[in-house]
Amino acid sequence: MQTPEITPKSWAMVLALGLVWGATFMFIDIALEGITPYWLAAGRIGFATVLTVAVWLWMGGRLFLTEERAWGAMLNVGLLSTAVPFMLLSWGLQYVTSGFAGVSMATVALMVLPLAHFLVPGEQMTLRRLIGFLIGFVGVAVLIGPEALAPSGSALEPFGRLACVAAASCYAISSVTMRRMPAVDPIGLSAVPLIIGSALVIPVAFVMEGPPPLPDRDTLIVVAVLGLLPTAGANLLRVLVIRSAGPVFMSLTNYQVPLWSVFLGVLVLGEPLRASLLVALVLILAGVFLSQWGALKRLFGR
């Protein structure tokens, strides 16, 4: 396993991921007007799986590039990067505020730090890096506001919060596991976990919500967009970033997502521009600058 290498291409991919995932919430809100939550998740994963597998097979269908096989790690990535967190969030969001879910996703970056420190060569946790990530986390908290921790009033709220934190843990563990895998084709590493995720999510949708509904054309288009961009396309970008630049660098995306979500709400939906957005932007950029000082110095020192 090579030491993570952060290049201008790595920065571009992480920025693209933040933008795509930040825009996802708008599309999900639109889609939920015409389809149920579990079938939305199943349709999104199913479409992404068919598309990614088709591209993978067209490119030769390679997976492991050496004699070393890591099917246990592949199963881990398949379950913990798509199926399990999708279902945990779908269930947990019934009982918690969306703000709490957003803060929970931001904790992925903090969870990755100690995991990568012990498990990934070249990803040692330094004081500067830790402080940078903490500043970024404070920025996310400022962006979402104190209402994120306000109780929803549901009796199952503690379990809903636990589900959101567990989903964040799934993303952190799967990122580190993906980085530790042997030489593997990136498209195959995108396709196979999606197959595993679909094999779990689609049956669960049947159990939870019965046979799939027949949504209208506009809803089908939105589901297709969700499957194409934030699922299939972003999943491949995520694999490329983790395998090249490492899970700690990839976790910077978790600070961007709520920021892009709010920015797009202001620009596209006409939502009011709050002062907290600007404060959060400064804090998140400061956190990124501090935690990635070495990478930025190499980037602009060329």
Side-chain angles (χ1 to χ4, degrees):
M1 182 167 36
Q2 296 179 342
T3 301
E5 182 182 0
I6 299 172
T7 65
K9 184 178 178 181
S10 306
W11 286 100
M13 289 191 290
V14 161
L15 287 172
L17 278 168
L19 176 59
V20 169
W21 281 338
T24 299
F25 298 107
M26 290 193 303
F27 287 103
I28 288 176
D29 286 341
I30 295 170
L32 285 174
E33 295 176 4
I35 192 170
T36 52
Y38 280 94
W39 276 113
L40 172 58
R44 177 181 168 184
I45 293 177
F47 182 85
T49 301
V50 171
L51 181 63
T52 306
V53 169
V55 172
W56 179 42
L57 294 176
W58 180 68
M59 297 291 290
R62 298 182 304 166
L63 187 55
F64 297 110
L65 302 181
T66 65
E67 294 299 318
E68 186 176 358
R69 300 291 183 264
W71 288 110
M74 187 70 73
L75 180 62
N76 177 310
V77 171
L79 293 176
L80 299 186
S81 66
T82 54
V84 175
F86 273 31
M87 291 187 292
L88 284 171
L89 287 172
S90 296
W91 184 85
L93 280 169
Q94 299 176 91
Y95 309 110
V96 304
T97 62
S98 58
F100 182 85
V103 171
S104 299
M105 292 303 100
T107 64
V108 172
L110 300 177
M111 293 179 185
V112 165
L113 277 178
L115 289 172
H117 175 79
F118 291 107
L119 299 174
V120 181
E123 293 277 37
Q124 281 67 37
M125 180 171 57
T126 64
L127 180 60
R128 174 178 51 79
R129 179 175 276 185
L130 176 60
I131 293 174
F133 276 94
L134 287 173
I135 292 173
F137 181 78
V138 171
V140 173
V142 169
L143 177 67
I144 297 174
E147 61 271 18
L149 300 179
S152 66
S154 171
L156 292 176
E157 183 175 17
F159 298 99
R161 292 190 172 196
L162 184 61
C164 291
V165 174
S169 302
C170 288
Y171 287 127
I173 295 170
S174 66
S175 293
V176 172
T177 303
M178 188 182 294
R179 172 62 189 170
R180 286 174 52 83
M181 292 184 69
V184 63
D185 179 74
I187 301 178
L189 186 52
S190 300
V192 175
L194 282 173
I195 294 172
I196 295 170
S198 296
L200 181 60
V201 172
I202 293 175
V204 168
F206 267 104
V207 172
M208 298 298 295
E209 297 175 345
L214 296 175
D216 56 56
R217 185 193 65 181
D218 291 343
T219 301
L220 286 175
I221 292 173
V222 174
V223 172
V225 170
L226 284 169
L228 174 63
L229 294 178
T231 310
N235 186 54
L236 177 58
L237 280 181
R238 178 174 180 261
V239 168
L240 292 173
V241 172
I242 290 173
R243 296 290 290 175
S244 60
V248 173
F249 184 75
M250 171 63 206
S251 67
L252 294 176
T253 307
N254 296 91
Y255 292 154
Q256 288 188 70
V257 170
L259 195 64
W260 280 115
S261 179
V262 174
F263 261 128
L264 291 171
V266 172
L267 295 175
V268 179
L269 302 179
E271 295 176 351
L273 177 62
R274 297 176 294 162
S276 59
L277 175 61
L278 301 178
V279 175
L281 176 60
V282 171
L283 287 170
I284 290 173
L285 290 178
V288 171
F289 181 82
L290 188 59
S291 66
Q292 298 298 321
W293 168 248
L296 286 168
K297 189 165 61 172
R298 289 192 297 272
L299 176 64
F300 293 106
R302 295 186 177 192

